[in-house]
Amino acid sequence: MPRKEKELYAALYNILGVWPRKIQYYKVALMHKSLGHRDINPKTKRLGKRVSNERLEFLGDAILDAVVGDLVYRRYTGKPEGFLTNTRSKLVQRETLGRLAQQMGITRLIMASGRSIQHNSYIGGNAFEALVGALYLDRGYDACMTFWNKRVMGEYLNADKIAYKEMNFKSKLLEWSQKNKVQLEYRMVSQSQDENGSPIFVYAVVLNGVVCLDGEGYSKKEAQQVASEKTINKLRADKAFVDKIIIVQSEQQEGEAHKEAAIESESSFNVTATEQAIDELSLDDLSARELSREEIIAAAEAAAYSEKEAI
C-alpha cells in the first residue's frame, strides 16, 4: 500500500473511529468539484464523467438529518415539534458542519484545485456531509449513528448549548420588525465567485427603506443570516440606530395619515356638495313644465272620480 494511502487510512480512522473498508468511497467524498477529476473507463481507457463529492454530499445530508433527528427526539422528551426541528437544523447547518470539518481535520484532507480553502463553512461542511455518505455506504447506518454520538457529540459539540442558543437571526429580526411594525426586506448588494469558482453573495438588511448592515456568504440564506445577525446586534447596542428607523417609520405613517385625511376630506366635500346641490333644487321648476296628453286625461279622470265620491 502506498505511503499516501496509509496516511489517508490513519487520518480517516482518527476522524471516524473505524477503519475504512472501501477507501474509494472516502477518496470521492474528499474530492471537490474544482479538481475537475474524471474517471477512466476500464474497457476503453478513455476519460469518463466528472467525479466529485456532490452525490455523496446529497446522501450524507439525508443520513445526517435522520441520525440527528433520532438523537434530538430521544434527548429532548416532551419538547414540541418546532423545538426539535429548530434544534436539528442548528446541529446540521452549514456553519456547524464547517466548523466540525476544521476541528476534526477533514478540511486539510479535501482535494481541491491546488488553491487554499478559505471558506470552511462551504467546502468543509460539504465534505463533512459527503464523508458521512461514504461511511454509510461503507459500514451502514449504525456506524453513522456511532460516529455522530461518540465522536461528534462526545468530543466536539454540546447539544444543549446549541439547542438553546439563538441562531436563526432572520426569524428573530422578522419577529422584531413585525412587533414594531417595521418593513423588512433583504436586498442583494453583489454576487461574485471566489478563487475556486464558488458563488459569493452579499445581502443587506433594509428596514423601512433604510439600508442597514450587510453580510457575505456562500449561499443567499447564509448571507442574509449574517446580515440579520449584524443588524440585530446593532439594534441592541445602538439606541440612535433604532431611533433612526422609528423616525423614518413615523414620517412614513404621518405621510400616509395625511393622504388618508386628504382622501376623507375630498370624499366629505363631495358628499356635502351633493347634499347642498339637492337642497338648492326648486320644486317650482317641476310644476311649470307642460303636461302630456296622457297626464291631462289621467288628471281629468281623477278629478271626475273625486267629484262622484263627493256626491
Side-chain angles (χ1 to χ4, degrees):
M1 183 184 296
R3 181 180 174 181
K4 275 195 171 184
E5 196 152 299
K6 286 183 180 179
E7 291 176 352
L8 179 59
Y9 267 94
L12 290 171
Y13 176 79
N14 290 332
I15 293 168
L16 302 172
V18 294
W19 290 102
R21 289 174 178 167
K22 296 182 179 179
I23 195 66
Q24 188 59 31
Y25 288 144
Y26 303 94
K27 286 182 177 180
V28 174
L30 297 168
M31 193 175 294
H32 187 252
K33 63 182 180 181
S34 65
L35 196 63
H37 180 78
R38 291 179 180 270
D39 61 7
I40 299 176
N41 189 313
K43 294 182 179 180
T44 64
K45 303 299 181 182
R46 293 181 178 179
L47 290 175
K49 60 184 179 181
R50 290 183 179 275
V51 179
S52 74
N53 61 3
E54 289 181 326
R55 284 173 54 81
L56 283 174
E57 176 193 336
F58 164 80
L59 178 61
D61 177 58
I63 298 300
L64 274 176
D65 270 352
V67 167
V68 177
D70 187 300
L71 163 78
V72 170
Y73 179 82
R74 296 175 188 277
R75 190 181 187 96
Y76 301 105
T77 56
K79 290 292 185 182
E81 182 270 340
F83 175 86
L84 301 180
T85 299
N86 196 32
T87 300
R88 181 184 62 184
S89 298
K90 292 176 184 178
L91 289 169
V92 300
Q93 70 176 348
R94 189 70 58 205
E95 293 82 358
T96 303
L97 299 183
R99 192 161 54 250
L100 283 172
Q102 178 68 25
Q103 293 171 346
M104 299 179 76
I106 296 173
T107 305
R108 65 182 178 83
L109 297 177
I110 299 173
M111 293 176 283
S113 58
R115 302 183 181 95
S116 60
I117 299 170
Q118 299 295 334
H119 52 289
N120 298 332
S121 65
Y122 183 77
I123 294 181
N126 289 352
F128 186 97
E129 290 178 339
L131 208 59
V132 171
L135 181 62
Y136 171 75
L137 292 177
D138 188 32
R139 286 184 167 268
Y141 182 79
D142 289 343
C144 297
M145 285 285 291
T146 301
F147 164 66
W148 184 266
N149 288 325
K150 289 189 176 180
R151 294 288 291 145
V152 177
M153 299 302 301
E155 299 181 32
Y156 296 96
L157 287 184
N158 183 327
D160 294 334
K161 185 177 179 181
I162 292 175
Y164 294 101
K165 184 179 179 182
E166 182 184 292
M167 299 274 300
N168 196 339
F169 298 104
K170 281 186 69 176
S171 295
K172 198 70 179 174
L173 187 58
L174 178 61
E175 181 183 335
W176 179 89
S177 65
Q178 290 176 340
K179 182 180 179 181
N180 292 279
K181 298 181 180 179
V182 172
Q183 185 180 2
L184 166 66
E185 63 175 302
Y186 293 90
R187 189 174 299 169
M188 190 166 74
V189 177
S190 66
Q191 180 179 349
S192 57
Q193 290 185 338
D194 68 359
E195 56 188 9
N196 291 315
S198 301
I200 300 175
F201 300 92
V202 177
Y203 269 81
V205 169
V206 181
L207 297 174
N208 278 339
V210 177
V211 179
C212 303
L213 292 94
D214 59 39
E216 180 181 301
Y218 289 92
S219 69
K220 295 178 180 179
K221 183 179 178 181
E222 184 181 350
Q224 291 172 2
Q225 279 280 12
V226 173
S228 299
E229 180 181 6
K230 289 181 179 179
T231 302
I232 287 173
N233 292 335
K234 182 79 170 174
L235 289 168
R236 286 172 173 168
D238 191 345
K239 187 177 181 300
F241 178 64
V242 179
D243 291 340
K244 181 181 179 182
I245 302 298
I246 301 302
I247 287 172
V248 170
Q249 178 189 8
S250 299
E251 290 174 348
Q252 290 176 348
Q253 290 175 343
E254 187 177 346
E256 290 175 1
H258 282 317
K259 286 181 181 178
E260 289 177 2
I263 292 171
E264 288 179 3
S265 176
E266 183 180 351
S267 174
S268 175
F269 171 79
N270 289 339
V271 171
T272 304
T274 303
E275 290 175 345
Q276 185 177 354
I278 291 173
D279 291 339
E280 290 175 351
L281 283 175
S282 173
L283 298 179
D284 295 339
D285 294 338
L286 293 177
S287 61
R289 68 183 179 86
E290 186 178 351
L291 297 176
S292 67
R293 182 173 179 276
E294 289 78 9
E295 288 173 326
I296 293 170
I297 294 172
E301 288 178 349
Y305 180 78
S306 298
E307 290 175 1
K308 186 176 181 183
E309 286 277 324
I311 295 171

